[in-house]
Amino acid sequence: MSFPSINPTTTKAWARLQKHFSESKERKMQDLFAEDSLRASKFSIDWEDFYLDYSKNRITQETISLLLQLSEEVQLKQAIEQQFSGEKINQTENRAVLHTALRNFDAMPKEVKQTLKKMRVFSKKIIDKSWKGYTGKPITDIVNIGIGGSDLGPDMITEALSFYKNHLNVHFVSNVDGDHVQETLKKLHRETTLFIIVSKTFTTQETITNASTIRNWFLQKATILDIERHFVAVSTNIKEVENFGIAKENIFPMWDWVGGRFSLWSAVGLSVCCAVGYSNFEKLLRGAHQMDLHFKNKPFKENIPVFLALISVWYNNFYKAESEAIVPYSQYLTKLVPYLQQAIMESNGKQIDRNGKPVTYQTGTIVWGSTGTNAQHAFFQLLHQGTKLIPVDFIAFAKALHKQDVHQQMLLANCFAQSEALLNGTLDEKNEHHYKLFDGNRPSNTLLIKQLTPENLGALIAMYEHKLFVQGVIWNVFSYDQWGVELGKKLAKNTLSALDEKNTLQNKKTPTDLLITKTLETKKNSKNN
Ligand code: F6P
């Protein structure tokens, strides 16, 4: 069966939505609430530990039924089934998209199970200190070397699950800016540090450069034979990893049916696994799987990711909103927005549709934001009184992890007050001047989650993954490729060649590389004899 490729603007629902939009665009949400005292409970979805309140949006029952009709006309149901069943829906790369299979313990591919087992055994040894460095000392620090999906996911999750963390210090080196790697190395001791090189392709310039610099630093004191106690890799490119000097048993595989920005559920999550222990990592996967089941099985009118996507399309394509803000009221989620920026914007920032034609409508929304309450003292002025329409997702946890009731109540009060203020606005009571006028009618969703557990975090990330997929289906773009970043990579290589006339800087075998190959070969031969 071919993947649906329907231009949304040719559907009946689109034409009806357009008409509905011109008739209803001036209606104020304040009036919609006044007309229906049950609006808040009607426009909500309660699922497991999640409660989504989408009542503070410029929508009516009619908007919802037209958006649902749109989802039918673009064959969303079929698209979801095709993704989950492993069809090659990433047609421009001829690949299946199966990050959901990484967290489905009921039907897990054998190689995924084996890799999880390898991660469990390895992380246990690191945590219980039975894995020793080259001088016999246990590991105290882990450095994840990767970029994009090989960095943002594990970094975000490690930060988000700090509450569950053990004694290990985890660092992330991503930028090719040498200051990033040097500042990190300053804090480290060779004897007690484990480096995890994460690169699906193992050709990414930044990652290989950082990894080589770190390996040279390591070899200033240690020997080539010590590499196997301190360097492991996560990659699909086994040959290149071995060429780098990493022992076969220290390679954690991944597969081409897992996209970089959806890979934290794979061995890319090894640093997370070390930081919070395998059982918490598994809980993260299981939570995500629960959201997968919800997304796959629930009728669209009770389906959280589908609803979030439809509402977003409504603002993007009819109200012409250009961006969306995401504001988690949790300091643990400081890195959520950068993570989602890659997931969402790398996926849906496309202008050619699935029929190979330029689109005639807006696609990928710009996603931005940061944590509350800090954001209230930064960009919220613009949300409240600026000229742009910016729908907001508020995310909050009902119960705090640390029992800090006063703080928790203040945090929640602030979150709810902000969505209230965006909705209702207020007139300057003393009628002093217009500068104090808040017109309100500014949309938001509020997602209230019981507590920040690994399961709920997994479900939250999976929710946004599915939301972006639904948007991509509606916009008729291929969400799972990223050709747009390739040109920049190529040009950077060309420019480097121009700067590096003697050709000493680029992916060339250095004397260290040659020595490593020779030493490892000698070692292999002596083992075989
Ligand atoms: O910059 C684009 C990209 O391909 C991302 O999609 C990916 O997450 C990142 O580069 C890193 O790629 P790799 O894991 O192959 O090093």
Side-chain angles (χ1 to χ4, degrees):
M1 208 188 308
S2 63
F3 198 63
S5 55
I6 294 155
N7 176 341
T9 63
T10 62
T11 61
K12 288 197 186 102
W14 195 275
R16 292 180 65 191
L17 277 162
Q18 221 141 25
K19 184 162 176 283
H20 170 65
F21 173 72
S22 36
E23 287 163 3
S24 65
K25 64 177 192 272
E26 302 301 338
R27 293 193 74 182
K28 299 259 178 287
M29 287 192 282
Q30 295 94 315
D31 298 332
L32 298 175
F33 271 95
E35 283 161 25
D36 184 357
S37 59
L38 297 176
R39 181 176 168 90
S41 66
K42 277 189 202 159
F43 286 60
S44 67
I45 301 177
D46 201 353
W47 171 78
E48 305 271 330
D49 282 0
F50 283 46
Y51 182 78
L52 172 68
D53 170 3
Y54 61 86
S55 62
K56 297 185 185 85
N57 280 297
R58 296 185 187 177
I59 55 172
T60 61
Q61 289 292 0
E62 191 182 351
T63 326
I64 295 172
S65 58
L66 291 175
L67 288 167
L68 288 170
Q69 187 191 329
L70 175 65
S71 68
E72 270 170 41
E73 285 189 67
V74 297
Q75 300 177 0
L76 176 61
K77 189 83 203 153
Q78 180 190 319
I80 295 173
E81 271 155 24
Q82 285 179 278
Q83 166 163 301
F84 276 90
S85 65
E87 285 186 37
K88 292 192 170 173
I89 64 165
N90 176 0
Q91 288 172 12
T92 61
E93 293 179 339
N94 194 29
R95 286 175 184 165
V97 180
L98 275 176
H99 46 278
T100 51
L102 299 168
R103 50 208 194 202
N104 181 359
F105 286 84
D106 300 326
M108 191 167 268
K110 200 167 143 230
E111 64 268 35
V112 177
K113 255 192 214 158
Q114 280 168 349
T115 307
L116 277 179
K117 186 172 167 216
K118 194 172 160 126
M119 291 168 74
R120 176 164 55 77
V121 173
F122 179 78
S123 59
K124 185 172 175 294
K125 281 190 204 159
I126 299 289
I127 297 166
D128 71 16
K129 305 185 181 176
S130 56
W131 180 286
K132 304 278 197 260
Y134 71 100
T135 57
K137 293 184 183 161
I139 299 298
T140 56
D141 290 73
I142 310 259
V143 183
N144 186 97
I145 310 166
I147 197 164
S150 298
D151 163 72
L152 291 162
D155 192 8
M156 179 271 291
I157 299 282
T158 306
E159 174 84 15
L161 295 182
S162 305
F163 181 79
Y164 304 87
K165 257 191 87 245
N166 53 35
H167 62 283
L168 294 165
N169 306 309
V170 186
H171 315 261
F172 291 84
V173 174
S174 50
N175 201 328
V176 78
D177 176 355
D179 293 343
H180 194 187
V181 67
Q182 290 309 331
E183 282 301 327
T184 312
L185 290 179
K186 259 189 190 161
K187 303 173 210 148
L188 301 172
H189 300 285
R190 293 170 182 80
E191 299 161 80
T192 54
T193 304
L194 176 84
F195 298 98
I196 307 178
I197 309 173
V198 185
S199 177
K200 184 176 165 183
T201 54
F202 221 78
T203 55
T204 305
Q205 195 187 48
E206 292 94 328
T207 302
I208 302 308
T209 307
N210 280 328
S212 304
T213 301
I214 289 175
R215 188 186 57 185
N216 290 345
W217 170 84
F218 179 77
L219 291 176
Q220 281 167 14
K221 295 272 163 69
T223 72
I224 287 171
L225 293 177
D226 298 327
I227 288 181
E228 64 180 32
R229 308 300 305 161
H230 292 268
F231 287 79
V232 302
V234 180
S235 186
T236 54
N237 192 348
I238 310 297
K239 195 170 151 263
E240 276 307 313
V241 179
E242 285 193 290
N243 286 343
F244 188 85
I246 292 182
K248 211 178 195 133
E249 58 274 20
N250 286 347
I251 305 175
F252 293 77
M254 55 191 293
W255 306 276
D256 76 350
W257 39 265
V258 180
R261 55 193 174 277
F262 305 95
S263 64
L264 71 89
W265 321 100
S266 72
V268 170
L270 186 60
S271 51
V272 177
C273 214
C274 292
V276 297
Y278 174 81
S279 74
N280 281 319
F281 183 70
E282 186 174 316
K283 285 179 189 165
L284 181 86
L285 302 188
R286 288 188 184 275
H289 178 61
Q290 288 311 311
M291 180 54 81
D292 296 341
L293 293 178
H294 167 86
F295 175 57
K296 201 171 148 213
N297 301 330
K298 277 281 173 203
F300 290 165
K301 59 179 192 305
E302 300 161 39
N303 196 312
I304 296 178
V306 171
F307 247 87
L308 290 175
L310 292 177
I311 293 171
S312 172
V313 168
W314 175 237
Y315 290 123
N316 184 62
N317 296 93
F318 297 90
Y319 279 95
K320 312 286 183 219
E322 297 238 309
S323 75
E324 286 172 10
I326 298 179
V327 187
Y329 275 68
S330 164
Q331 196 58 22
Y332 288 118
L333 296 191
T334 339
K335 293 179 175 167
L336 179 69
V337 173
Y339 168 78
L340 289 176
Q341 285 179 320
Q342 186 204 15
I344 297 170
M345 301 207 273
E346 197 165 89
S347 297
N348 287 334
K350 312 279 165 70
Q351 53 171 336
I352 299 296
D353 74 10
R354 289 197 293 269
N355 298 309
K357 300 217 169 73
V359 296
T360 53
Y361 45 86
Q362 288 290 324
T363 62
T365 40
I366 300 161
V367 178
W368 60 285
S370 78
T371 47
T373 58
N374 298 22
Q376 290 173 205
H377 302 273
F379 58 76
F380 267 54
Q381 165 64 36
L382 185 142
L383 296 181
H384 285 291
Q385 288 188 309
T387 53
K388 295 182 171 59
L389 177 70
I390 302 169
V392 186
D393 279 358
F394 290 102
I395 302 169
F397 297 95
K399 265 173 79 183
L401 288 170
H402 293 278
K403 292 183 183 59
Q404 295 275 322
D405 292 344
V406 176
H407 288 262
Q408 177 65 4
Q409 278 169 18
M410 278 189 198
L411 185 71
L412 286 182
N414 269 280
C415 176
F416 299 149
Q418 289 303 319
S419 63
E420 187 72 27
L422 288 170
L423 165 71
N424 286 325
T426 178
L427 288 172
D428 171 14
E429 279 156 18
K430 291 189 205 133
N431 208 9
E432 280 167 7
H433 53 64
H434 294 310
Y435 301 113
K436 291 187 182 173
L437 185 79
F438 289 70
D439 47 5
N441 197 32
R442 292 167 187 246
S444 66
N445 293 304
T446 302
L447 182 63
L448 187 62
I449 304 172
K450 212 180 207 169
Q451 198 166 34
L452 179 47
T453 60
E455 290 91 339
N456 285 337
L457 181 64
L460 176 68
I461 306 306
M463 177 193 87
Y464 276 110
E465 286 179 349
H466 297 317
K467 173 188 170 183
L468 75 85
F469 170 63
V470 174
Q471 290 175 294
V473 171
I474 295 175
W475 290 326
N476 198 24
V477 294
F478 286 114
S479 296
Y480 295 119
D481 61 20
Q482 58 287 316
W483 296 108
V485 286
E486 296 305 323
L487 175 65
K489 287 187 193 173
K490 231 189 249 164
L491 291 182
K493 270 199 181 146
N494 295 348
T495 317
L496 182 60
S497 301
L499 294 175
D500 174 28
E501 278 170 9
K502 291 199 183 112
N503 209 10
T504 51
L505 294 172
Q506 296 208 64
N507 293 337
K508 278 187 57 186
K509 296 262 177 248
T510 62
T512 315
D513 289 316
L514 299 173
L515 194 60
I516 285 174
T517 316
K518 213 168 151 213
T519 312
L520 294 177
E521 254 167 30
T522 319
K523 194 184 155 199
K524 218 194 245 166
N525 292 341
S526 69
K527 251 190 198 168
N528 293 343
N529 293 332

